């Protein structure tokens, strides 16, 4: 019953992970926001099906999934609008697109690069 009083240690001061986190915060505060790389979003590849808009292409993304009961492979596709800054994409091109902040009501993807040109 006569327990000696144990001194309380300051957990935050002795934890090296907390000290590193504070140092990293200081480094990020000094970084130039213009040169900082944006957070990468999901990047996927798809085929350009339309380039009739200015600085916008329609990309068809195809995926395969397995039927839950029968196991047959099913093909599903989604069309998205992607921002093409230089109007360099043509119909049939295979492009890599990445998620970004919304550019318009329906456009929240951007073209990262043209992986393969369409054969004419």
């Amino acid at each position: 019953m006569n327990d000696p009083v144990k001194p309380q240690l300051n957990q935050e001061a002795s934890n090296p992970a907390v000290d590193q986190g504070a140092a990293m915060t200081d480094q990020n505060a000094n970084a130039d926001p213009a040169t900082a790389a944006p957070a990468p979003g999901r990047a996927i590849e798809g085929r350009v099906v339309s380039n009739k808009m200015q600085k916008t292409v329609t990309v068809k993304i195809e995926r395969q999934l397995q039927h839950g009961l029968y196991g047959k492979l099913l093909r599903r596709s989604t069309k998205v609008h992607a921002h093409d800054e230089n109007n360099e994409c043509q119909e049939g091109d295979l492009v890599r697109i990445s998620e970004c902040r919304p550019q318009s009501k329906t456009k929240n993807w951007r073209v990262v690069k043209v992986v393969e040109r369409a054969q004419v």
Side-chain angles (χ1 to χ4, degrees), residues 53-87:
M53 297 168 276
Q54 294 177 6
K55 296 191 176 187
T56 303
V57 292
T58 303
V59 179
K60 186 176 185 179
I61 303 161
E62 291 187 339
R63 65 189 187 281
Q64 282 188 340
L65 59 98
Q66 198 170 19
H67 190 279
L69 180 60
Y70 300 116
K72 179 177 179 177
L73 289 177
L74 304 172
R75 296 177 89 186
R76 296 287 184 248
S77 63
T78 305
K79 284 195 214 175
V80 296
H81 290 146
H83 184 67
D84 180 19
E85 183 63 37
N86 301 322
N87 285 324

Side-chain angles (χ1 to χ4, degrees), residues 83-99:
H83 184 67
D84 180 19
E85 183 63 37
N86 301 322
N87 285 324
E88 59 189 14
C89 296
Q90 300 298 322
E91 285 188 23
D93 288 352
L94 183 66
V95 294
R96 180 171 294 127
I97 59 176
S98 174
E99 260 184 331

Side-chain angles (χ1 to χ4, degrees), residues 17-69:
V18 173
D19 294 338
Q20 289 174 356
M24 289 174 60
T25 306
D26 295 338
Q27 290 173 357
N28 292 341
N30 296 335
D32 185 19
T35 60
R42 203 163 52 129
I44 52 178
E45 290 184 358
R47 192 76 54 187
V48 176
V49 292
S50 172
N51 65 344
K52 292 177 175 55
M53 297 168 276
Q54 294 177 6
K55 296 191 176 187
T56 303
V57 292
T58 303
V59 179
K60 186 176 185 179
I61 303 161
E62 291 187 339
R63 65 189 187 281
Q64 282 188 340
L65 59 98
Q66 198 170 19
H67 190 279
L69 180 60

